[in-house]
Amino acid sequence: MTKIRRIKKKEVKAAVALWAAWDQELDLAILSGVPRSEKQIAADRRSLAKILKKVAAAKDPFFLVALNDSQIVGIITAQLRSPGRLLPGLVCGEITQLYVTPEARGNNLGGELVRAAEAKLYKRGVQIGRASCRERV
């Protein structure tokens, strides 16, 4: 059975490994047009680990994980956003990242993660939500 909840500090290393697999799957170096060296990739992962440790302790932005038998099989990040001067007073939320491991796909886990993130955003007073995606080329 899959459980979805906020990331814990002790899971940061596993989340970084999952993010690295995601990065490799998307082949971001090619998509961005700028190949990264192994040294840069390692630095990016260290930086991500530092960020995730802070996120694990922070209220917003937040990072949810989906667990199967205590193994992380999916991640989603979301945050509150200000709509700026165009819509003052409106509380906006944005889903910024979503990934499900290839082995866990096909069981609507991505949809479950999105619904969990939406619920957290709406609980914080979000009136309008937004999500974007990058199509693999």
Side-chain angles (χ1 to χ4, degrees), residues 78-98:
Q79 59 191 1
L80 298 178
R81 288 267 192 214
S82 168
R85 287 183 248 154
L86 182 61
L87 300 167
L90 189 66
V91 180
C92 298
E94 180 179 19
I95 293 173
T96 53
Q97 306 287 335
L98 169 66

Side-chain angles (χ1 to χ4, degrees), residues 32-48:
S32 69
V34 180
R36 295 176 299 161
S37 68
E38 290 298 320
K39 186 176 179 179
Q40 182 60 47
I41 291 169
D44 289 347
R45 290 182 187 162
R46 283 191 303 275
S47 176
L48 177 61

Side-chain angles (χ1 to χ4, degrees), residues 44-56:
D44 289 347
R45 290 182 187 162
R46 283 191 303 275
S47 176
L48 177 61
K50 286 180 186 177
I51 291 167
L52 289 182
K53 284 177 186 174
K54 290 178 183 176
V55 168

Side-chain angles (χ1 to χ4, degrees), residues 8-22:
K8 295 180 179 178
K9 284 185 180 182
K10 67 181 181 180
E11 297 166 332
V12 166
K13 189 174 180 177
V16 169
L18 186 66
W19 206 300
W22 178 15

Side-chain angles (χ1 to χ4, degrees), residues 2 10 13 26 35 41 44-45 48 56 59 62 65 67-69 80 97 99 110 116 131:
T2 303
K10 67 181 181 180
K13 189 174 180 177
L26 290 176
I41 291 169
D44 289 347
R45 290 182 187 162
L48 177 61
K59 193 171 187 178
F62 63 88
V65 293
L67 299 136
N68 264 347
D69 299 323
L80 298 178
Q97 306 287 335
Y99 179 72

